[in-house]
Amino acid sequence: LAEAMRRLSACYLAQGRLEEAIPLADDALRHASTALPDGHPGLGFYLYSVAECHRQSGAFDESVEFYERAMDIFGHHLPQHSTSLAIVKRDLAMAYDGKGRTD
Protein backbone atom coordinates (compact mmCIF):
# COMPACT_ATOMS: atom_id res chain seq x y z
CA LEU A 1 0.00 0.00 0.00
CA ALA A 2 2.77 2.45 0.94
CA GLU A 3 4.59 1.98 -2.36
CA ALA A 4 1.42 2.51 -4.39
CA MET A 5 0.73 5.69 -2.42
CA ARG A 6 4.30 6.93 -2.97
CA ARG A 7 4.08 6.33 -6.70
CA LEU A 8 0.70 8.03 -6.99
CA SER A 9 2.08 10.96 -5.03
CA ALA A 10 4.98 11.18 -7.50
CA CYS A 11 2.49 11.24 -10.39
CA TYR A 12 0.52 14.03 -8.76
CA LEU A 13 3.75 15.93 -8.11
CA ALA A 14 4.76 15.61 -11.77
CA GLN A 15 1.36 17.01 -12.73
CA GLY A 16 1.75 19.93 -10.34
CA ARG A 17 -1.08 18.68 -8.13
CA LEU A 18 0.73 19.51 -4.88
CA GLU A 19 -2.42 19.65 -2.75
CA GLU A 20 -2.93 15.95 -3.49
CA ALA A 21 0.71 14.88 -3.63
CA ILE A 22 1.81 16.13 -0.20
CA PRO A 23 -0.73 14.35 2.03
CA LEU A 24 -0.37 11.18 -0.03
CA ALA A 25 3.43 11.23 0.34
CA ASP A 26 3.02 11.85 4.09
CA ASP A 27 0.62 8.91 4.38
CA ALA A 28 2.95 6.67 2.36
CA LEU A 29 5.80 7.53 4.73
CA ARG A 30 3.61 6.85 7.74
CA HIS A 31 2.63 3.42 6.38
CA ALA A 32 6.21 2.55 5.42
CA SER A 33 7.44 3.61 8.85
CA THR A 34 5.16 1.08 10.50
CA ALA A 35 6.16 -1.70 8.09
CA LEU A 36 9.93 -1.12 7.99
CA PRO A 37 12.40 -0.87 10.87
CA ASP A 38 14.04 2.47 11.71
CA GLY A 39 16.91 3.24 9.37
CA HIS A 40 15.80 0.77 6.71
CA PRO A 41 17.12 1.86 3.30
CA GLY A 42 13.61 1.72 1.86
CA LEU A 43 12.53 4.50 4.20
CA GLY A 44 14.99 6.80 2.47
CA PHE A 45 12.89 6.76 -0.68
CA TYR A 46 9.73 7.64 1.24
CA LEU A 47 11.53 10.45 3.06
CA TYR A 48 12.86 11.72 -0.26
CA SER A 49 9.35 11.73 -1.75
CA VAL A 50 8.00 13.82 1.12
CA ALA A 51 10.98 16.18 0.83
CA GLU A 52 10.40 16.65 -2.89
CA CYS A 53 6.74 17.52 -2.34
CA HIS A 54 7.60 20.11 0.27
CA ARG A 55 10.44 21.62 -1.76
CA GLN A 56 8.29 21.98 -4.85
CA SER A 57 5.58 23.62 -2.76
CA GLY A 58 8.10 26.14 -1.43
CA ALA A 59 8.16 24.69 2.11
CA PHE A 60 11.94 24.61 2.20
CA ASP A 61 12.38 24.15 5.96
CA GLU A 62 10.27 21.00 5.92
CA SER A 63 11.98 19.69 2.81
CA VAL A 64 15.45 20.12 4.35
CA GLU A 65 14.42 18.04 7.36
CA PHE A 66 13.25 15.14 5.19
CA TYR A 67 16.18 15.35 2.76
CA GLU A 68 18.63 15.22 5.67
CA ARG A 69 16.91 12.17 7.14
CA ALA A 70 16.96 10.45 3.74
CA MET A 71 20.60 11.35 3.25
CA ASP A 72 21.46 9.93 6.67
CA ILE A 73 19.82 6.61 5.82
CA PHE A 74 21.32 6.42 2.34
CA GLY A 75 24.72 7.41 3.71
CA HIS A 76 24.69 4.36 6.00
CA HIS A 77 23.47 1.86 3.42
CA LEU A 78 24.62 2.98 -0.02
CA PRO A 79 28.07 3.51 -1.52
CA GLN A 80 29.27 7.10 -1.21
CA HIS A 81 29.07 7.62 -4.96
CA SER A 82 25.61 6.09 -5.46
CA THR A 83 23.19 7.88 -7.74
CA SER A 84 20.44 7.96 -5.10
CA LEU A 85 22.70 9.66 -2.58
CA ALA A 86 23.89 12.16 -5.19
CA ILE A 87 20.31 13.05 -6.14
CA VAL A 88 19.35 13.65 -2.50
CA LYS A 89 22.41 15.87 -2.03
CA ARG A 90 21.57 17.85 -5.18
CA ASP A 91 17.97 18.37 -4.15
CA LEU A 92 18.98 19.26 -0.59
CA ALA A 93 21.24 21.93 -2.08
CA MET A 94 18.29 23.26 -4.09
CA ALA A 95 16.19 23.41 -0.91
CA TYR A 96 18.96 25.32 0.86
CA ASP A 97 19.12 27.68 -2.11
CA GLY A 98 15.37 28.17 -1.88
CA LYS A 99 15.84 29.16 1.76
CA GLY A 100 18.52 31.64 0.71
CA ARG A 101 21.37 29.57 2.14
CA THR A 102 24.33 29.18 -0.16
CA ASP A 103 26.98 28.17 2.38
Side-chain angles (χ1 to χ4, degrees), residues 3-23:
E3 183 60 17
M5 294 169 82
R6 186 184 71 79
R7 289 178 186 221
L8 183 57
S9 173
C11 288
Y12 287 155
L13 186 62
Q15 295 171 352
R17 296 165 61 182
L18 296 170
E19 305 80 27
E20 296 165 279
I22 293 170

Side-chain angles (χ1 to χ4, degrees), residues 57-80:
S57 74
F60 299 114
D61 289 330
E62 291 87 352
S63 68
V64 165
E65 174 190 337
F66 288 103
Y67 283 132
E68 287 177 344
R69 289 174 56 196
M71 196 167 62
D72 184 53
I73 289 173
F74 287 152
H76 283 93
H77 296 282
L78 300 176
Q80 182 160 350

Side-chain angles (χ1 to χ4, degrees), residues 12-100:
Y12 287 155
L13 186 62
Q15 295 171 352
R17 296 165 61 182
L18 296 170
E19 305 80 27
E20 296 165 279
I22 293 170
L24 200 53
D26 287 335
D27 287 344
L29 175 59
R30 204 170 6 267
H31 283 283
S33 295
T34 61
L36 300 171
D38 286 342
H40 188 281
L43 286 176
F45 293 102
Y46 292 95
L47 291 163
Y48 175 80
S49 293
V50 172
E52 270 296 282
C53 288
H54 287 295
R55 182 181 63 81
Q56 290 193 30
S57 74
F60 299 114
D61 289 330
E62 291 87 352
S63 68
V64 165
E65 174 190 337
F66 288 103
Y67 283 132
E68 287 177 344
R69 289 174 56 196
M71 196 167 62
D72 184 53
I73 289 173
F74 287 152
H76 283 93
H77 296 282
L78 300 176
Q80 182 160 350
H81 298 292
S82 79
T83 304
S84 295
L85 187 55
I87 290 169
V88 173
K89 287 180 180 181
R90 177 203 64 200
D91 292 343
L92 175 60
M94 290 189 326
Y96 280 138
D97 184 56
K99 288 176 57 165

